[in-house]
Amino acid sequence: MDVLESKVVPGAFHTADENYDAPKCHPNTRVAILDEIMAWLDDTNDTRRAMWMRGAAGAGKSAIARTIAQLCEQQGRMSSTFFFSRTSGDTRRSDEKHLVATLAYQMMEHIPETRCYISEAMADNKFIFDLALDSQVDKLIVIPLSRLSEISSSPIPPKIIIIDGLDECHNKNAQDVIVKKFVAALARMQHKLPHKLLIASRPEQNIQSSFGHRELAPFLRHLPLDNSWKPDDDIRTFLVDNFHDIRQTHLLRRYIPINWPALCDIEKLVEKSSGQFIYAATVGKYIKSNERDPVECLRIVINLVKDPENRPYAELDALYAHIFAQARKPELALWILRIHLMGWVDPDVELPDQEICFIDRLLGLREGKLELTLSDLLSIVEVEDLEIKFLHASLPDFLLDETRSRRFYANSDKICIHLFRHCLNYISEFTGNTNDDDDYLTILTCFLGTEQFTENVQEAHTEIWDAFAGLDLKAALKLASKMADEIRWNIMPNAVANFLRCILREHTKLCSSQTPDVLLKVVNQLQEWILNQVQKLSLDGPISSSLENNDIKNLDNSPELHSQ
């Protein structure tokens, strides 16, 4: 027994002290989901002995799993639980080597009749915990339960094994083994003992593949935490109750208006949550703190005002950072997501309908590379119908705020300069021998992108100068003119103006004596082109008007350009 106890991880129990304050379902929320799981557990005729509850990061999977464990404990229907965690401080909670021992130990506590069989298995092989995972499952869980069923004279009510946070297990191969071996084990003994298994995890690519095996299908039930469960209603209930508690108990309650907060503010928080409880819970905890003024805290959250002393989204930011840190190619993922955010940053930018095809062309990616890269972020980002979709409405705020995202800041100089070079290269290399609207829209987006990606780059960078080496400005402007004539996009003059503004801005970062030859060449071409346009075009024309509004002013204010 000492050997068993040395392998057990008490912190992975649902009753562990370190999990005392762990999230559980707020009263009167997630009721339909909890009823669905309990009805499945009650149904002894359902051969689907395993259930996979999956959902995005922060969807409330662990809270639901803990609440189910609590209910089953109260009803005497608990077998055992293991709550994986990478952030608990106990590395054993992310190690599959402690899984079976921890489950077996609890099984002896909840089903005392299995104690003699488990003890016998350990006595027969003192190295049992060094065996492969499937052998441990057989000897310490399946065989003891099967032998118990053979001597039981009365029906035994269904009991449940809960494995939460499977994606938090650091060994991805072990994740696959856990799914296959536990589901197969329960399938083998379904006519002997009505045990059921609930596994909760994010929908990571490898875990989806594990649950997708055909031989598991007859014994597996899927429970996606999607919008069909109306999470917005539950989040609204949670927020209303949370604000009621603040008005009743906060240190500054006498100063809080009785009608605070406004209903429209609650709706803004519900919308920002995107069906994920973690946002609402994080915001609620921040506003509720007795160390801060709750009315001011809500204003900070609603208006995204900087709080110099606190980080309102610390827990949410830690979750996002952890997910990006686990990605195999986080830098490429950030390039892709920053392109996706072009329209979010500037509403004038409209990405092509088949967004991932556009990004593939711009970055020169093989087909499928984008999807593989973002597959590591499936809990917060998904690709559907050739479009990228954020599962959390708060993710763009995180990615574009350096104080929050830090090393995963999507608007860093390094990322923006890299994407600027891709936009400029695409413009330079495009022959224009096409009538394909997607090609034209890609060029238009590249014109807009050159200005957007360099707008916040404060210092002069050689990478930007070098990108101008292959640019034939006259050819690029001729291409823009052709596109404006053929497709008659009203936005094209503004796109060209933004492009020219980008050139001027890079020039003005340097004094004339420092201007690299490649950039000087482009600036001279620009001056010549502007003079030609003034000579050739009506001053009332759209391109002239755009230049007058956007670039001639810049030209007039550029002493370096006047000195050339």
Side-chain angles (χ1 to χ4, degrees):
M1 193 61 65
D2 290 342
V3 176
L4 174 62
E5 291 179 356
S6 70
K7 298 290 184 180
V8 172
V9 184
F13 299 176
H14 67 283
T15 53
D17 285 344
E18 65 186 76
N19 296 325
Y20 179 76
D21 290 326
K24 302 178 184 67
C25 294
H26 185 76
N28 301 314
T29 65
R30 318 316 290 261
V31 174
I33 297 174
L34 296 173
D35 288 347
E36 184 80 9
I37 296 173
M38 294 305 292
W40 163 74
L41 180 60
D42 288 337
D43 188 355
T44 56
N45 295 320
D46 191 342
T47 59
R48 296 172 296 177
R49 297 290 172 177
M51 175 181 284
W52 179 31
M53 179 174 64
R54 66 183 185 272
K61 301 177 295 297
S62 293
I64 294 170
R66 290 186 193 284
T67 303
I68 291 293
Q70 201 172 48
L71 290 172
C72 291
E73 184 83 43
Q74 294 168 358
Q75 298 175 11
R77 304 173 70 178
M78 174 53 63
S79 175
S80 47
T81 60
F82 194 101
F83 283 76
F84 280 102
S85 174
R86 286 176 177 157
T87 60
S88 67
D90 185 347
T91 56
R92 298 176 301 168
R93 285 188 61 184
S94 60
D95 189 345
E96 80 285 352
K97 294 175 183 176
H98 298 274
L99 172 64
V100 176
T102 303
L103 296 176
Y105 180 87
Q106 293 172 85
M107 199 165 70
M108 290 193 301
E109 297 293 314
H110 291 112
I111 311 174
E113 297 86 352
T114 61
R115 180 179 292 269
C116 60
Y117 303 122
I118 293 173
S119 298
E120 181 181 319
M122 291 189 294
D124 288 345
N125 187 347
K126 62 181 181 179
F127 299 111
I128 193 168
F129 294 110
D130 295 323
L131 299 178
L133 190 63
D134 56 338
S135 296
Q136 292 185 46
V137 172
D138 277 338
K139 295 181 182 299
L140 295 172
I141 294 179
V142 175
I143 292 175
L145 288 174
S146 297
R147 292 178 66 179
L148 174 60
S149 69
E150 292 169 359
I151 63 170
S152 297
S153 57
S154 58
I156 300 174
K159 292 183 182 288
I160 193 167
I161 296 172
I162 298 176
I163 299 175
D164 177 71
L166 181 61
D167 52 282
E168 298 273 316
C169 174
H170 68 79
N171 185 339
K172 291 193 174 184
N173 291 330
Q175 294 172 4
D176 181 63
V177 173
I178 289 168
V179 170
K180 292 177 181 176
K181 298 306 178 183
F182 273 87
V183 175
L186 289 175
R188 289 202 307 274
M189 64 183 196
Q190 64 175 315
H191 300 300
K192 299 179 179 179
L193 198 66
H195 251 61
K196 292 193 175 181
L197 170 70
L198 173 64
I199 296 179
S201 79
R202 299 173 190 165
E204 307 292 4
Q205 188 66 46
N206 63 300
I207 297 177
Q208 287 193 49
S209 298
S210 299
F211 279 109
H213 286 286
R214 280 188 297 177
E215 61 268 23
L216 301 184
F219 312 107
L220 179 63
R221 182 169 179 177
H222 294 262
L223 184 67
L225 298 184
D226 54 25
N227 288 331
S228 65
W229 300 102
K230 299 182 178 179
D232 285 359
D233 293 344
D234 289 336
I235 290 172
R236 188 177 295 105
T237 297
F238 168 80
L239 289 170
V240 168
D241 289 351
N242 193 71
F243 285 122
H244 178 268
D245 288 345
I246 292 173
R247 290 195 301 271
Q248 298 295 315
T249 64
H250 197 275
L251 185 66
L252 303 178
R253 57 187 176 275
R254 71 177 65 183
Y255 306 110
I256 301 175
I258 192 170
N259 60 346
W260 177 87
L263 291 177
C264 62
D265 287 342
I266 293 178
E267 290 307 311
K268 287 178 183 177
L269 295 179
V270 171
E271 181 181 357
K272 203 73 170 175
S273 296
S274 304
Q276 317 305 333
F277 263 84
I278 189 170
Y279 179 86
T282 300
V283 166
K285 187 179 294 185
Y286 171 70
I287 296 173
K288 201 171 190 176
S289 172
N290 274 320
E291 298 176 359
R292 295 183 278 272
D293 177 354
V295 176
E296 177 63 16
C297 285
L298 178 60
R299 187 185 74 83
I300 288 172
V301 169
I302 292 293
N303 298 313
L304 286 176
V305 178
K306 292 284 190 291
D307 184 342
E309 297 181 359
N310 303 284
R311 296 180 59 206
Y313 307 106
E315 294 180 22
L316 189 62
D317 294 348
L319 172 65
Y320 288 153
H322 171 73
I323 293 170
F324 276 99
Q326 298 303 309
R328 287 164 291 182
K329 295 183 178 295
E331 186 173 50
L332 178 56
L334 289 173
W335 294 347
I336 293 168
L337 296 180
R338 179 60 183 87
I339 296 171
H340 174 69
L341 286 167
M342 287 179 69
W344 197 90
V345 172
D346 179 2
D348 282 342
V349 178
E350 180 182 353
L351 298 184
D353 289 339
Q354 296 184 334
E355 181 185 4
I356 69 168
C357 298
F358 158 68
I359 297 175
D360 283 344
R361 288 197 299 272
L362 183 59
L363 295 180
L365 301 178
R366 303 189 306 274
E367 287 187 355
K369 180 73 172 180
L370 183 150
E371 290 94 323
L372 285 175
T373 300
L374 295 186
S375 68
D376 293 332
L377 307 175
L378 279 178
S379 56
I380 53 175
V381 176
E382 69 177 9
V383 178
E384 184 176 337
D385 297 328
L386 300 178
E387 303 292 328
I388 296 172
K389 178 183 177 184
F390 286 139
L391 300 181
H392 291 218
S394 60
L395 184 56
D397 300 325
F398 168 81
L399 291 172
L400 295 174
D401 186 339
E402 188 174 10
T403 63
R404 294 179 59 189
S405 49
R406 299 182 180 180
R407 70 186 179 103
F408 300 112
Y409 180 43
N411 214 31
S412 68
D413 283 5
K414 182 178 179 181
I415 289 175
C416 286
I417 291 171
H418 181 84
L419 296 179
F420 163 79
R421 291 174 62 93
H422 276 282
C423 287
L424 203 59
N425 288 341
Y426 198 92
I427 293 171
S428 299
E429 295 172 4
F430 190 79
T431 63
N433 295 325
T434 180
N435 292 316
D436 190 317
D437 283 358
D438 283 341
D439 283 335
Y440 283 144
L441 191 50
T442 299
I443 288 292
L444 173 64
T445 306
C446 287
F447 274 120
L448 293 168
T450 56
E451 202 275 335
Q452 184 180 129
F453 291 134
T454 57
E455 184 176 14
N456 295 315
V457 178
Q458 299 299 320
E459 302 295 329
H461 287 269
T462 56
E463 293 92 336
I464 293 180
W465 310 336
D466 292 343
F468 283 109
L471 176 65
D472 183 336
L473 182 61
K474 292 181 180 179
L477 295 173
K478 183 177 180 181
L479 171 62
S481 177
K482 174 186 176 185
M483 292 168 59
D485 290 341
E486 292 188 3
I487 305 181
R488 301 188 182 281
W489 279 332
N490 292 328
I491 195 175
M492 179 53 74
N494 288 329
V496 173
N498 285 344
F499 175 55
L500 301 181
R501 185 187 299 114
C502 162
I503 297 172
L504 292 171
R505 184 171 54 243
E506 291 308 312
H507 177 67
T508 56
K509 288 177 183 176
L510 301 160
C511 68
S512 58
S513 61
Q514 294 177 314
T515 305
D517 290 342
V518 291
L519 183 54
L520 185 58
K521 172 187 172 184
V522 173
V523 171
N524 289 334
Q525 288 179 337
L526 173 55
Q527 292 181 81
E528 181 183 346
W529 184 82
I530 291 176
L531 292 173
N532 287 336
Q533 296 307 306
V534 172
Q535 291 173 345
K536 293 165 53 179
L537 299 178
S538 166
L539 292 180
D540 295 328
I543 293 182
S544 297
S545 174
S546 181
L547 286 171
E548 179 181 340
N549 291 333
N550 295 298
D551 281 303
I552 290 179
K553 292 178 182 179
N554 285 347
L555 189 62
D556 187 55
N557 293 325
S558 175
E560 294 87 354
L561 193 57
H562 279 296
S563 68
Q564 295 300 320

